[in-house]
Structures are given as structure tokens and as C-alpha cells.
Amino acid sequence: QLQLVESGGGLVQDGGSLRLSCAASGHILSIYSMGWFRQAPGKEREFVAAISRSGGSMVYADSVKGRFTISRDNAKNTVYLEMNSVKPEDTAVYYCAAKFQPITNVVPQSRREYDHWGQGTQVTVSS
């Protein structure tokens, strides 16, 4: 059973940077597409970024494009989300998710497509 644990969240100032990590255990990560989602209070969980199992394809939400970068290190079974030029509206709980995808390099963006979720890490951007 794949388990995901996020870390790296915290309090950051408007315009600052933060790097989130998602460490996987229980299975090799290289056969999973990976995604980051976030959920602010009172709002639905929304897509942030996703990366194919090989790392060759990435997709971003328009709201973070040019500011956030998703990457993965399959040798370390870890996925990252580099967050730059953060804004107060980026404040949310950030979740890592995995979709079992042993053959294709499709990059899913819908939360309903993901099979496994982490517990989330809080990111708070102060203005």
C-alpha cells in the first residue's frame, strides 16, 4: 500500500518561497503520476500541479503557472513543489496525490483520478 507524507509547509511572507516535499513509502513511485492539490478554508480542493511518472510532462493550474514548479526524484521516492513569489491567496492545506499509471505518461488533473493521498501540510502566506 502506497503511503504519502507531505512536509515543508509553514508560514511565509508575501513574495517569499517555500519548498514542499512528498515522500512515498510502500511502493516504488516511478509507476505513479503525481499531483499537488490544495484546499483553502470553505473552498473545494483544487488542482495545483501534476507530473508524469517519468517526470517528462508537467501541468500547472493557471493561478500558479510561472511561480510554482513540480519535480520528482524517483530514486528518492519523493515529489517536490517549489513555490516562489507566493501570495496570500496561496494559503491552503497542500496535499500530495498519486495515481497508479504503470504504462502511460498521462498527467491527470482531476482529484477524482487519484488513488492515494497524503495527510496534507499547511501553507500560510502573510501579507
Side-chain angles (χ1 to χ4, degrees):
Q1 178 76 7
L2 182 72
Q3 293 185 326
L4 305 172
V5 178
E6 302 95 335
S7 62
L11 178 64
V12 59
Q13 288 189 331
D14 188 0
S17 298
L18 207 60
R19 187 174 85 155
L20 306 183
S21 298
C22 172
S25 61
H27 212 196
I28 55 172
L29 207 56
S30 59
I31 56 175
Y32 292 85
S33 294
M34 300 298 296
W36 285 97
F37 290 76
R38 65 187 182 186
Q39 187 166 17
K43 295 188 177 181
E44 290 192 354
R45 192 170 299 187
E46 64 175 5
F47 171 77
V48 175
I51 188 167
S52 62
R53 63 187 181 93
S54 67
S57 297
M58 290 81 78
V59 179
Y60 297 92
D62 288 343
S63 59
V64 306
K65 202 171 292 183
R67 300 188 297 121
F68 291 9
T69 302
I70 188 171
S71 62
R72 66 190 298 160
D73 186 338
N74 285 340
K76 294 183 178 179
N77 250 25
T78 303
V79 177
Y80 305 97
L81 184 69
E82 188 76 33
M83 305 169 61
N84 295 314
S85 302
V86 297
K87 306 174 182 179
E89 50 263 44
D90 293 322
T91 295
V93 176
Y94 283 71
Y95 297 91
C96 173
K99 175 176 173 57
F100 183 62
Q101 209 139 40
I103 300 175
T104 70
N105 275 308
V106 172
V107 185
Q109 299 177 51
S110 169
R111 65 181 187 266
R112 295 173 181 82
E113 297 186 76
Y114 285 84
D115 311 304
H116 305 276
W117 292 84
Q119 83 290 347
T121 186
Q122 176 71 45
V123 172
T124 303
V125 182
S126 63
S127 57

